[in-house]
Amino acid sequence: MRMRCRLRRCVVTAVTLSLLLFLSSLWLPQGTIQNCEQSWRPCLSVYTPTRQVVRAAVTDGADVLGGNDIIGECAGQQFQVSRLLLHLNSALGPASDVLLDPYLLCWEELIKFMESLGPLVGFFTHKVEEKITLIRQLSLEESAIVTTEDAQHVAPPPHHAYRSVRSMLEAELQRGVVSFDRQTPSGSRTLLRLHRSLLWLQLLLEKLATEREGRSMGELCRDAYVEVLAPHHPWLVQRAAELVFRTMPDRKVFLQLVCVRTQEEAEPVMRVIIAAIREIHRRTQRELEIRNMLDLP
């Protein structure tokens, strides 16, 4: 009887993991570029040697980030809130634009944050990595075209299309690569999916900052998910997300990730990060909204 119970538990565990493996392919659904010479993971390695932040000039009175005096490096962990803040600051371009390269670096740091919350949470982050790779691959392809035109003494475009959110959206609209009726592997559609996920993380941090006691981090994650992402996901993905939220650690793990000991110490750190994410989201929202891109299929 004991052996039979153990066998039953093993079977249930195996079935659950198999379900998660299947559902992960549906998480934040997005087409991928098919002509990349290797899979999406090796493609990421193209950028490994150059992932350094160059601070961008912050204009329009948008210097909301500050905080470097209260946020330092946290030894012994992959995620660094100070590095995330630096990337967010670098993403704030001129004229209320968002620079794409530091924006994608922000997401790489946020992936480390999500993976630190547990194996099942990090299990879904490969779809975010896939989206980062797609936008970078599009940027590489355009760079190759511009280089070829320059070698043939043809005047290249004045600005790289994938330099910023605004330039990418405008260039893809002009080239007709964005469809409002069907799914396409465009940078604009991919950005929209990342944009929605960024709002989910923003809401989660806001809830963690304002609700000191009571509900668990998994419950707060679920609330933010239901509000922002669930309307865009099929039923099976929503059920998989529910399983993930049930496995999330308590708030002590979050405090460790931002390198503080108490909720009171965490609040000024979270205020700075929330303000930074909110500004990035506000700028991106505006660029998508004026081009009617908030509902791309």
Side-chain angles (χ1 to χ4, degrees):
M1 180 64 70
R2 185 175 301 174
M3 287 295 296
R4 186 174 300 173
C5 292
R6 290 179 180 176
L7 179 60
R8 185 180 296 111
R9 284 197 296 269
C10 291
V11 171
V12 171
T13 301
V15 170
T16 301
L17 290 176
S18 298
L19 177 63
L20 288 174
L21 284 168
F22 168 72
L23 293 176
S24 68
S25 64
L26 303 174
W27 184 260
L28 295 176
Q30 171 68 40
T32 57
I33 290 178
Q34 301 299 321
N35 59 352
C36 187
E37 293 181 356
Q38 300 177 3
S39 67
W40 61 270
R41 288 188 183 276
C43 284
L44 278 173
S45 65
V46 173
Y47 295 86
T48 301
T50 59
R51 286 177 186 168
Q52 297 178 352
V53 176
V54 179
R55 284 185 174 273
V58 179
T59 60
D60 302 332
D63 189 8
V64 297
L65 301 184
N68 288 325
D69 55 334
I70 62 172
I71 301 176
E73 291 291 317
C74 192
Q77 64 183 39
Q78 289 293 316
F79 169 71
Q80 295 292 338
V81 67
S82 59
R83 194 181 303 137
L84 172 61
L85 180 62
L86 187 57
H87 295 327
L88 288 166
N89 189 31
S90 299
L92 291 175
S96 294
D97 204 354
V98 176
L99 301 180
L100 271 178
D101 188 57
Y103 176 83
L104 297 179
L105 289 172
C106 290
W107 267 111
E108 290 188 342
E109 202 62 32
L110 288 169
I111 286 172
K112 297 175 186 176
F113 168 74
M114 289 186 285
E115 289 178 338
S116 299
L117 297 178
L120 288 184
V121 180
F123 183 78
F124 294 105
T125 59
H126 75 278
K127 278 296 179 182
V128 178
E129 290 179 301
E130 195 172 66
K131 289 167 173 55
I132 295 173
T133 303
L134 190 146
I135 294 177
R136 282 180 168 156
Q137 184 65 24
L138 290 171
S139 178
L140 283 177
E141 290 177 357
E142 188 195 49
S143 296
I145 293 173
V146 170
T147 301
T148 302
E149 291 177 342
D150 190 42
Q152 296 174 351
H153 306 289
V154 177
H159 299 290
H160 195 286
Y162 294 90
R163 177 179 180 272
S164 72
V165 166
R166 184 178 301 155
S167 61
M168 179 183 71
L169 298 180
E170 196 61 35
E172 291 195 338
L173 272 178
Q174 294 177 1
R175 295 170 185 172
V177 299
V178 179
S179 174
F180 292 85
D181 302 314
R182 59 184 177 83
Q183 295 184 7
T184 58
S186 64
S188 301
R189 180 181 182 273
T190 304
L191 176 71
L192 175 60
R193 270 62 187 173
L194 291 174
H195 178 65
R196 291 169 179 168
S197 297
L198 188 65
L199 180 58
W200 169 61
L201 287 169
Q202 176 189 320
L203 292 180
L204 169 60
L205 292 176
E206 288 174 351
K207 293 177 184 298
L208 284 168
T210 57
E211 298 190 26
R212 293 194 172 191
E213 298 179 355
R215 295 191 300 163
S216 67
M217 189 157 66
E219 291 173 319
L220 299 180
C221 272
R222 182 189 300 109
D223 286 355
Y225 174 82
V226 169
E227 183 174 346
V228 176
L229 292 178
H232 305 287
H233 290 166
W235 182 86
L236 284 176
V237 173
Q238 294 180 37
R239 299 288 72 77
E242 183 68 27
L243 291 176
V244 170
F245 299 143
R246 291 178 181 178
T247 67
M248 294 193 71
D250 58 30
R251 295 193 185 199
K252 291 181 181 179
V253 173
F254 173 77
L255 296 178
Q256 293 171 0
L257 287 175
V258 296
C259 224
V260 298
R261 293 168 296 180
T262 65
Q263 176 77 16
E264 289 72 19
E265 292 177 357
E267 285 177 1
V269 177
M270 285 191 285
R271 280 198 298 268
V272 171
I273 296 300
I274 290 168
I277 292 177
R278 186 183 293 122
E279 178 63 18
I280 296 293
H281 186 273
R282 182 191 68 81
R283 294 185 179 197
T284 307
Q285 177 81 6
R286 180 178 181 276
E287 297 300 326
L288 289 166
E289 186 174 15
I290 63 177
R291 295 170 178 83
N292 297 316
M293 288 184 170
L294 290 174
D295 295 307
L296 291 178

